[in-house]
Amino acid sequence: MKVFSNTETFNYSWEEVSTANWRKYCPWNQKSTHVVAVDTLSRTVDPETGILRTERLITCRQSAPDWLKKMIGGNIEDSHVFETSYVDPRSKTVTMVSSNLTWNNLISVQETVVYRPFNEHQTRFEQTAQITALCGGWQRIKSSIEDTLVKRFHENAVKGKEGFEAVLAMSRRVFAEEREREKMMMLQSQAANIRLAA
Amino acid sequence: MSQSLAPECNEVKERYDTCFLKWYSEKYLRGLGTTDNNECAGLFKEYSKCLQGALKDRGIDKLLDEAREDNKENDAALMGKKK
């Protein structure tokens, strides 16, 4: 088993980050192009705790090394990930756990991501992934499969941060514009009322 | 918003995602969205119906059942239920 871990700080409030996280893989993010689809499978709010639980299916398309393609055969480029996330509004924590649905008889990838407030204006992102090659056979092969995936995780993490920064910036802009528009509409209707009264 | 794995579900997915994001930021985060029976429930039902067929066609439904079974420990740990 190999472990990949990574920590980042985003200069946005937890509320902004947890909202933008739902559209991390939208066209505003031009870096994480390996994610081709995100589907929501179920979504519930626990009436007792207020925790929002969401199941998503993430579809990835990414080229694989030739030697791995030869070993496994078939369409290795498309893979699916099952993600369950828990938003706890009381402790202000988003926890996302993911596992691979595809090739899980050969490789197990278990990822946990947590977003929590660092302070009022900053949010911490903590990511850990456990990668285990399950196939029997030589340790050397298992080890190189694990190394390849750890490397891939690292590359995607760097791109993921850049892409998410773009989504966060766009989200802030769009929300500000929306607020501005609402304010303008309110002022216009107030002005109209004043004119009517005069 | 992101695409659906089933192109035929993209249109309803887009409408649902937009509804959800508004609900999440304007209600849920302000402590006003305490139930999943909300203004987006109808759209979600429609989207789910579309998606179910696509998952079945691709054989993903069975993989998901297994993954849900494996995730029960996380549910127990992260749903914050006091025993």
Side-chain angles (χ1 to χ4, degrees):
Chain A
M1 185 186 77
K2 300 253 159 81
V3 176
F4 169 81
S5 59
N6 177 35
T7 315
E8 304 282 359
T9 307
F10 290 101
N11 293 324
Y12 293 86
S13 69
W14 179 81
E15 283 77 6
E16 284 183 283
V17 172
S18 90
T19 303
N21 182 47
W22 296 116
R23 51 177 167 198
K24 179 171 177 179
Y25 302 113
C26 74
W28 293 343
N29 180 346
Q30 292 178 353
K31 300 283 174 181
S32 302
T33 46
H34 63 289
V35 175
V36 293
V38 180
D39 282 286
T40 304
L41 303 166
S42 94
R43 188 164 261 153
T44 49
V45 180
D46 187 299
E48 220 177 286
T49 58
I51 292 175
L52 174 70
R53 180 186 184 278
T54 304
E55 289 180 1
R56 298 198 299 181
L57 174 71
I58 296 162
T59 306
C60 304
R61 188 162 299 150
Q62 203 157 27
S63 63
D66 280 337
W67 61 269
L68 198 60
K69 267 193 234 176
K70 266 186 211 128
M71 227 177 84
I72 295 174
N75 177 1
I76 189 173
E77 263 98 25
D78 280 9
S79 61
H80 298 290
V81 172
F82 176 65
E83 172 202 271
T84 314
S85 64
Y86 309 84
V87 181
D88 186 343
R90 290 180 200 165
S91 66
K92 291 197 179 183
T93 314
V94 180
T95 309
M96 314 170 82
V97 291
S98 313
S99 58
N100 58 313
L101 286 181
T102 317
W103 313 115
N104 57 1
N105 50 341
L106 297 173
I107 303 153
S108 153
V109 182
Q110 309 283 334
E111 187 198 28
T112 306
V113 166
V114 181
Y115 290 101
R116 59 175 118 242
F118 190 50
N119 55 44
E120 224 177 291
H121 309 290
Q122 289 183 308
T123 304
R124 287 293 265 188
F125 163 92
E126 296 154 20
Q127 177 188 30
T128 330
Q130 294 184 350
I131 296 148
T132 318
L134 304 167
C135 48
W138 296 313
Q139 192 54 44
R140 238 183 63 204
I141 293 182
K142 281 202 217 179
S143 208
S144 37
I145 292 176
E146 290 173 353
D147 286 339
T148 303
L149 286 166
V150 168
K151 202 171 140 234
R152 190 50 65 78
F153 250 92
H154 182 75
E155 289 163 4
N156 287 345
V158 173
K159 285 192 273 182
K161 163 116 182 6
E162 282 174 35
F164 194 35
E165 286 281 6
V167 174
L168 282 163
M170 270 304 276
S171 295
R172 183 176 275 184
R173 225 168 79 194
V174 168
F175 271 109
E177 279 169 12
E178 214 162 283
R179 269 197 302 273
E180 199 55 36
R181 205 165 40 236
E182 277 166 16
K183 214 166 84 188
M184 282 303 287
M185 273 163 68
M186 218 172 70
L187 286 173
Q188 275 168 0
S189 79
Q190 274 173 357
N193 285 340
I194 290 166
R195 272 202 302 276
L196 279 174
Chain B
M1 297 293 174
S2 50
Q3 301 281 303
S4 170
L5 93 156
E8 67 273 23
C9 307
N10 268 337
E11 195 261 335
V12 63
K13 174 187 150 55
E14 176 78 26
R15 281 192 291 143
Y16 168 70
D17 281 347
T18 306
C19 181
F20 168 74
L21 207 63
K22 200 170 159 62
W23 172 83
Y24 183 84
S25 59
E26 292 176 10
K27 294 194 177 162
Y28 180 75
L29 286 182
R30 295 177 189 175
L32 305 170
T34 49
T35 167
D36 36 273
N37 185 18
N38 54 40
E39 60 271 34
C40 310
L43 282 172
F44 187 67
K45 219 169 156 182
E46 219 180 299
Y47 167 42
S48 287
K49 207 174 137 193
C50 180
L51 193 60
Q52 282 314 314
L55 295 178
K56 216 170 166 189
D57 289 345
R58 290 164 175 80
I60 299 172
D61 54 338
K62 288 197 184 72
L63 299 175
L64 285 170
D65 288 341
E66 285 171 31
R68 280 195 186 97
E69 197 58 41
D70 291 341
N71 190 48
K72 282 198 169 146
E73 265 174 53
N74 290 322
D75 277 330
L78 294 163
M79 284 307 280
K81 296 273 190 213
K82 302 273 182 303
K83 291 276 152 35

